[in-house]
Amino acid sequence: MSLKIRISKIQVISAIVFLCSIDIGYIDDLVHVLPKIVFLIRLFLIMIFFMGLCVKSYKKNFQFSTYFLLLTIVFFFISIVTIENGGSFFEFSKQFSMIYLIAIFIETYRKDDAIFSILEIWKSLLFILILLDWVSMLLFPSGLYTTIYTDNWFLGYKTERFVFYLPFAIISGFLSLKKHNRIGINTYFTMILCMLALLYCKGTSIFFGMLIVFLLFILLDIGIFNKKINFILNKSLSVPFVLSIYTVVNISLLNAISSKFLDYLLVNVFHKDLTLDTRTLIWQSCFQLIKTNKFFGKGFLTYQNYQYYTSNLYATSAHNMLLTLLVTGGFFLLLCYAVIIFLTVSRHVYMNNKYSNFSKVLAIGVVSMLVVGVTSSEFVFSEFGFIFFSLGTIDLKILYEMGDE
């Protein structure tokens, strides 16, 4: 007997794009030259795909999605502000090119049922990375390596792994709907293992982020057969509700130091110090940065920049998604980001059919990302920080029907 494994061209390309779009600190430390080589390959791939889209737009009836055009504007805007403020355009390009490669690749296939094959490959590769993370936790209970923190495993420190865990859960749920018209048991089981790993690495916020996805997935499954539950889920994922709750939570937490009730929760329930592990001190420094340029921000800041501006060794980021957007691009970038969220989260409401469940899954991913973003900015400019928005551009009805042929 011979085992034949068929690997299509699109699967190979998908794997290459994925591997060129991720950044794992542990591997970078082992092979120092690797990030530079991958960056050059990434730029080459972006150029090839962009030229292909231009030709496609010229010869066929193809238009760039509003989201992709807006993302391109965001890239040029942050680039200009970064250069204008003496920041590192090179570091920004390295980081944002990961986002842009994923976005332009999905843009290329958003009206092609090959998108399902692409996501299957990405799901498998994400699972492999998560599996390696779990193994590193089992083999090195006290941490695989040491930076300024000790609890570092294969996918990094605490919230760094959420950049891979959350996309895996959302892509898995997305594909389960295509195959079974519900969230599969395999997705739930893997998410439980992910949550156990997040508890082990003491990632409180990212655990709750994954728990929210888990619970909303259950509501989504029930809502398929129950109109009342479906109505509640629709309202919970509506843009006004999501952005209103997010704004209230952000304002409340950013003023946590003056709230006796929140002080009690932090110390006695979550066992955190009143500064949320120095976060409130970092936030105060970020407020001062924002005041210097409220409308256009300071441009992209590296972790060294944050350490310098805050005089804090642990301030490698703003530790808050809202503050990161304001520091980077001021109110202009915040407005662009809000529009991007609107384009993705509101889509399931306007579709109002069975295909809207696909968009609900993406909206759940955005909600989870926002929740974690209250105390972390890890997701904002990460490699998969915009993937849910990119997937929100695909023509769900056409692709679903094409995939069933």
Side-chain angles (χ1 to χ4, degrees):
M1 295 179 63
S2 61
L3 181 62
K4 292 184 178 180
I5 301 176
R6 291 185 178 181
I7 301 177
S8 65
K9 182 174 69 174
I10 189 63
Q11 289 175 322
V12 173
I13 296 173
S14 301
I16 293 173
V17 167
F18 179 92
L19 295 174
C20 289
S21 301
I22 61 173
D23 183 37
I24 300 174
Y26 179 67
I27 296 178
D28 291 346
D29 288 339
L30 292 178
V31 187
H32 297 290
V33 73
L34 186 62
K36 294 180 180 179
I37 295 174
V38 173
F39 176 54
L40 293 175
I41 298 173
R42 196 157 57 235
L43 292 180
F44 175 75
L45 290 174
I46 289 174
M47 181 182 67
I48 293 298
F49 286 123
F50 190 80
M51 290 173 61
L53 281 177
C54 289
V55 171
K56 191 175 181 180
S57 178
Y58 177 76
K59 290 185 176 181
K60 300 179 181 179
N61 186 23
F62 176 85
Q63 292 182 332
F64 288 96
S65 65
T66 303
Y67 158 75
F68 184 75
L69 293 174
L70 188 56
L71 183 67
T72 303
I73 292 172
V74 166
F75 168 73
F76 283 109
F77 168 72
I78 299 178
S79 298
I80 293 170
V81 176
T82 300
I83 295 171
E84 187 70 23
N85 285 278
S88 176
F89 173 72
F90 177 69
E91 291 298 328
F92 170 66
S93 298
K94 282 201 304 183
Q95 193 67 30
F96 205 84
S97 60
M98 293 188 287
I99 296 170
Y100 206 73
L101 177 55
I102 289 175
I104 200 169
F105 188 58
I106 293 176
E107 182 76 6
T108 302
Y109 292 98
R110 66 185 176 90
K111 291 188 176 183
D112 190 325
D113 65 341
I115 194 70
F116 293 112
S117 296
I118 293 169
L119 293 180
E120 284 286 1
I121 291 295
W122 288 2
K123 174 188 170 183
S124 299
L125 291 172
L126 282 168
F127 181 73
I128 291 172
L129 293 178
I130 293 171
L131 186 62
L132 290 173
D133 196 41
W134 292 341
V135 170
S136 69
M137 289 183 186
L138 292 173
L139 296 179
F140 304 93
S142 300
L144 178 61
Y145 62 98
T146 302
T147 55
I148 57 174
Y149 303 105
T150 54
D151 298 335
N152 300 283
W153 286 279
F154 182 73
L155 291 180
Y157 177 77
K158 289 188 178 181
T159 51
E160 290 179 326
R161 61 190 23 82
F162 195 63
V163 171
F164 301 96
Y165 281 37
L166 180 59
F168 171 80
I170 298 304
I171 290 174
S172 182
F174 194 90
L175 292 173
S176 292
L177 276 177
K178 175 66 175 66
K179 294 178 181 177
H180 313 294
N181 198 32
R182 60 182 173 80
I183 306 299
I185 190 67
N186 291 337
T187 299
Y188 286 118
F189 178 72
T190 310
M191 287 183 65
I192 290 173
L193 293 180
C194 286
M195 286 189 285
L196 291 175
L198 296 178
L199 281 176
Y200 182 78
C201 73
K202 300 177 183 177
T204 307
S205 63
I206 54 178
F207 169 78
F208 280 111
M210 189 64 76
L211 180 62
I212 285 172
V213 176
F214 187 84
L215 296 176
L216 290 178
F217 272 2
I218 292 175
L219 287 180
L220 178 59
D221 268 343
I222 298 174
I224 293 174
F225 308 100
N226 188 307
K227 291 184 178 179
K228 289 184 178 180
I229 296 297
N230 187 54
F231 176 79
I232 293 173
L233 185 62
N234 274 334
K235 291 297 181 182
S236 300
L237 295 176
S238 66
V239 173
F241 182 80
V242 170
L243 293 184
S244 297
I245 293 297
Y246 182 64
T247 302
V248 170
V249 170
N250 258 289
I251 293 174
S252 300
L253 196 56
L254 290 175
N255 290 281
I257 202 69
S258 61
S259 170
K260 292 183 179 179
F261 174 69
L262 286 174
D263 287 354
Y264 176 83
L265 285 178
L266 291 175
V267 176
N268 298 286
V269 178
F270 296 109
H271 306 292
K272 300 281 187 179
D273 62 64
L274 291 182
T275 66
L276 278 172
D277 298 331
T278 75
R279 276 177 173 79
T280 56
L281 302 178
I282 296 169
W283 294 340
Q284 290 170 4
S285 298
C286 288
F287 282 132
Q288 298 304 315
L289 277 177
I290 293 168
K291 288 179 180 179
T292 61
N293 197 330
K294 298 177 183 178
F295 296 103
F296 302 114
K298 298 284 290 184
F300 182 77
L301 300 183
T302 64
Y303 75 90
Q304 295 99 331
N305 294 143
Y306 276 108
Q307 289 173 332
Y308 172 77
Y309 283 122
T310 61
S311 300
N312 189 325
L313 178 65
Y314 296 96
T316 54
S317 67
H319 287 289
N320 178 276
M321 182 179 288
L322 183 64
L323 290 181
T324 299
L325 293 170
L326 287 171
V327 168
T328 305
F331 286 104
F332 179 81
L333 179 58
L334 183 63
L335 176 62
C336 290
Y337 200 80
V339 172
I340 288 173
I341 289 176
F342 175 81
L343 291 173
T344 303
V345 176
S346 64
R347 194 178 181 195
H348 69 87
V349 177
Y350 294 121
M351 290 181 70
N352 195 28
N353 54 37
K354 67 177 181 178
Y355 308 111
S356 68
N357 285 333
F358 287 95
S359 287
K360 286 177 189 174
V361 170
L362 300 180
I364 288 170
V366 173
V367 169
S368 178
M369 183 176 66
L370 292 175
V371 169
V372 174
V374 173
T375 57
S376 170
S377 54
E378 192 67 44
F379 227 107
V380 185
F381 296 121
S382 69
E383 44 265 68
F384 297 111
F386 285 71
I387 189 172
F388 309 138
F389 307 131
S390 292
L391 291 175
T393 66
I394 68 176
D395 194 326
L396 296 170
K397 184 176 181 179
I398 292 177
L399 294 184
Y400 193 94
E401 292 174 349
M402 287 172 64
D404 284 343
E405 292 178 356

